[in-house]
Amino acid sequence: MEDKLTRYYRGRMIFGPFTAVHPDELKALEDEIGGRLPSGYRAFIELANGGSLEYDIRVPPGEAGEVIGFTELHQVGRDQHGEYGSGTVLGEYRRRNDGPLAEHVSMEWMLPIARNGGNDTLFLDLSPENSGRLVAFVHGLPQWTGLTERNVLATVADTFDAYFDVLFIDDDTAQMNWEDVREAAPDDAWRRVVERWLDEGMPGWRTRSWARAQ
């Protein structure tokens, strides 16, 4: 059962559910963007289309960057209504000029592939000179939040695979996911998945105060 709830890419666990990608949908996307998807991203979609990626990255990279998790992965293909709606790669691509980033940056080559709950967005840059790099856009927030107050656009990895290689589990992300399943029975499938994810990505997590709390 657990194997049906997860997939692995470059040693990182992706949480399901997943949607099988149809070759016609890959072709429709590549026809629209005018070329083949970068090999790493294409391989990932064929393995795990949709789902969530409960890992974090710093934007911009480095100790001073804000910890962000682009957890909501867009799926290639139509949504449950048979449309290219919100959360589909082609739908997000067609609406990429509607957001605030388009006021400052050319969106011609930018393919949205993931976002977080605050609609910060992760893009694949498909431009000829930068093809395949990962670019993150983070919205500025009010001062009282203690987070970034200005919009930030930063390259976070040179390739899709390189992006996966620098992902990590932040303590807050670990705590949030554990609290979602902590009260479940020890043999609950999702609880076992989260425990395995934490054991692999944050060894020693069981000693954290939030893990010991009842």
Side-chain angles (χ1 to χ4, degrees), residues 155-172:
T155 298
V156 292
D158 291 333
T159 66
F160 187 78
D161 286 355
Y163 175 76
F164 264 70
D165 292 344
V166 296
L167 293 174
F168 63 93
I169 303 174
D170 181 69
D171 201 71
D172 287 344

Side-chain angles (χ1 to χ4, degrees), residues 174-187:
Q175 180 178 355
M176 177 185 67
N177 279 277
W178 175 240
E179 289 179 348
D180 283 345
V181 300
R182 184 173 59 195
E183 302 302 322
D187 61 349

Side-chain angles (χ1 to χ4, degrees), residues 188-201:
D188 178 81
W190 268 117
R191 175 175 171 141
R192 292 201 306 266
V193 163
V194 171
E195 287 178 328
R196 179 155 52 95
W197 167 72
L198 288 168
D199 286 340
E200 294 168 352

